[in-house]
Amino acid sequence: MEPDPPEKPAEGTQGAWMPMDTVALGRLAEVLLPAVEGERKSDVPARLCQACVDLLDITGASISLSGGPDTRATWWSSDTVAARLAEAQYSLGDGPCRSALNAVAPVLAADLASGQDARRWPVFAQQAVELGVRAVFSLPLGSSAVAIGTLDLYRRTPGALSERDQSFVFPAADAITTALLALQVSSSIAGEDSAWLDAAEADHDEVHQATGMIMVFLDLDAPHALARLRAHAFTRGQSVTEAARDVIAGRISFHD
């Protein structure tokens, strides 16, 4: 009979449970072993991310992929709030995720309702708090020089990541990076396991198409056209993906 998994601490507390380094190694081995035994490799990053939600003092998580400063695709999210946080940062072009990508370094925002975190990203922080989110932790996925995406964790209560949580989440981010790069290589060599990336890029394709239409309408380059799309989304209280769908459907235009 298998032992019960370690109990997750109450949200916003440290929790008196076994040392996180032991839990981290065991949990990482637990989620990686089935992949070695033949399960779909495209499931591994999501299951690693879910392990963060199951064991850490957080509420939810997501994995976003990036192909450049204006390219983003949310590949996996644990819940609708995690997905909306990722979309909000893409729509605004700002937030902990964007900062982590630009700096290729972890960005740990312990309280979005007050202090320096609220001032650093004022619009995103306000939107996050309205969603009931108080803390966001973004870790770059990739090498020390280039980020291919981010692992984004959020929590309903304020507070920093404990040392125990950090001892899990940093090796988990490394494992997710390894799995994503392995999938990329596998896809390019064998044409397999590509559905995960195709699904992740679906929203970006709509934004790319709408940006191209705005470029034609207003004779703008791509960065300025995307900025106009983001500005329109912001004034309407939409995500940039929702605004892109309206442009493609002809419900709005940018002639004026």
Side-chain angles (χ1 to χ4, degrees):
M1 183 175 180
E2 294 185 2
D4 293 332
E7 183 179 354
K8 180 175 179 176
E11 197 168 283
T13 66
Q14 297 297 319
W17 50 323
M18 64 188 297
M20 181 53 77
D21 56 345
T22 303
V23 173
L25 292 174
R27 185 58 169 163
L28 285 173
E30 176 187 334
V31 295
L32 284 173
L33 184 59
V36 177
E37 295 176 342
E39 289 192 14
R40 288 173 47 185
K41 293 182 177 61
S42 57
D43 291 339
V44 174
R47 287 172 42 241
L48 281 164
C49 195
Q50 183 63 53
C52 295
V53 180
D54 292 342
L55 290 176
L56 304 186
D57 179 20
I58 61 170
T59 307
S62 66
I63 298 175
S64 295
L65 307 180
S66 176
D70 295 319
T71 303
R72 187 276 326 172
T74 304
W75 176 59
W76 184 88
S77 58
S78 63
D79 53 64
T80 55
V81 172
R84 290 178 67 182
L85 284 173
E87 181 68 33
Q89 293 181 84
Y90 179 53
S91 297
L92 296 170
D94 194 24
C97 169
R98 301 306 310 175
S99 297
L101 282 173
N102 293 337
V104 196
V107 175
L108 310 178
D111 190 353
L112 293 169
S114 62
Q116 63 178 3
D117 294 332
R119 294 191 297 270
R120 186 174 181 183
W121 314 281
V123 178
F124 167 75
Q126 179 182 350
Q127 293 188 6
V129 171
E130 289 174 355
L131 289 172
V133 174
R134 288 292 296 273
V136 173
F137 313 106
S138 295
L139 288 81
L141 304 174
S143 67
S144 60
V146 179
I148 62 171
T150 55
L151 168 62
D152 301 296
L153 316 174
Y154 83 87
R155 190 169 60 211
R156 288 187 294 260
T157 55
L161 279 178
S162 68
E163 290 185 7
R164 290 177 176 178
D165 285 0
Q166 290 185 43
S167 73
F168 178 92
V169 75
F170 285 105
D174 290 340
I176 291 170
T177 295
T178 300
L180 290 172
L181 293 175
L183 284 172
Q184 185 179 36
V185 172
S186 174
S187 299
S188 62
I189 293 176
E192 299 175 350
D193 286 326
S194 59
W196 66 278
L197 184 57
D198 293 340
E201 290 181 334
D203 286 351
H204 169 64
D205 288 344
E206 292 176 318
V207 174
H208 184 75
Q209 182 179 351
T211 300
M213 293 171 67
I214 297 170
M215 291 172 64
V216 174
F217 291 157
L218 301 180
D219 191 25
L220 297 173
D221 59 16
H224 285 90
L226 180 58
R228 289 294 294 268
L229 181 63
R230 282 175 167 154
H232 181 84
F234 178 76
T235 58
R236 298 291 183 89
Q238 296 178 307
S239 70
V240 72
T241 303
E242 291 169 337
R245 290 169 182 162
D246 284 345
V247 172
I248 294 169
R251 290 188 286 269
I252 59 175
S253 74
F254 289 79
H255 288 293
D256 298 329

